[in-house]
Amino acid sequence: MFITRESDYAMRVIRALMWEPRLSVSEICKKESITAPFAYKILKKLQNAGLVEGYRGVHGGYALKRDPEELSLYEIYSAIDPDMSIIECLNGTYQCPRNGQDGVPCHAHDELQEIQDQLWTMLRRKSMKDLFGKEEK
């Protein structure tokens, strides 16, 4: 399954930032039980995807760049793994030696593609605010 520990931690980082105007990496780590090296790696990917903004200096840290009502698990997970798929043959760059070999399509591929599409739809159906809107600091 494509929901890796890194993807899970990215969701936690977003959750931590939802309640504060800005947090340092150490504050995020403390709130969400994430190690600093892992947090920096995740924050870099989230920043490159335009989901968080980084601030330098004494009062630096990170803040959400997008409204939690506009963010879903799909956006977060795809920021961490842009080629996420439930199986390697669905990621678009993989050339399956069985699919289309001798003119015979792989019927499992079609079924798995449908499952992946449904999963992506489900990951988009609720915003982060829907998921964590009732939680407090």
Side-chain angles (χ1 to χ4, degrees):
M1 195 58 158
F2 71 88
I3 301 174
T4 62
R5 178 178 293 169
E6 187 177 10
S7 294
D8 178 53
Y9 284 6
M11 180 272 307
R12 292 184 196 188
V13 167
I14 297 294
R15 178 176 60 192
L17 293 172
M18 284 177 60
W19 308 113
E20 303 291 341
R22 189 178 301 175
L23 287 176
S24 69
V25 172
S26 62
E27 291 169 321
I28 294 168
C29 292
K30 184 177 178 183
K31 286 180 88 156
E32 296 295 339
S33 302
I34 302 171
T35 64
F38 211 14
Y40 279 111
K41 180 181 174 184
I42 291 165
L43 284 160
K44 178 80 169 164
K45 289 182 179 184
L46 293 174
Q47 191 171 8
N48 288 341
L51 303 183
V52 301
E53 189 164 357
Y55 298 91
R56 296 176 184 248
V58 175
H59 300 289
Y62 291 86
L64 277 183
K65 195 171 181 179
R66 302 230 342 246
D67 189 318
E69 288 185 36
E70 299 172 0
L71 279 176
S72 68
L73 290 172
Y74 179 83
E75 280 81 29
I76 296 165
Y77 293 166
S78 61
I80 299 304
D81 185 7
D83 296 323
M84 69 176 168
S85 58
I86 61 171
I87 189 166
E88 185 179 33
C89 72
L90 296 177
N91 76 10
T93 59
Y94 180 76
Q95 294 296 319
C96 178
R98 300 286 300 154
N99 192 18
Q101 183 179 358
D102 299 327
V104 179
C106 176
H107 298 292
H109 179 89
D110 295 340
E111 181 67 15
L112 292 169
Q113 181 66 57
E114 186 177 328
I115 293 167
Q116 179 168 295
D117 292 344
Q118 289 178 17
L119 178 60
W120 287 356
T121 297
M122 292 180 74
L123 290 172
R124 287 181 175 115
R125 71 183 174 167
K126 289 188 179 182
S127 72
M128 291 301 289
K129 186 169 182 179
D130 291 337
L131 292 175
F132 301 112
K134 294 185 171 83
E135 290 186 16
E136 298 285 329
K137 301 177 195 173

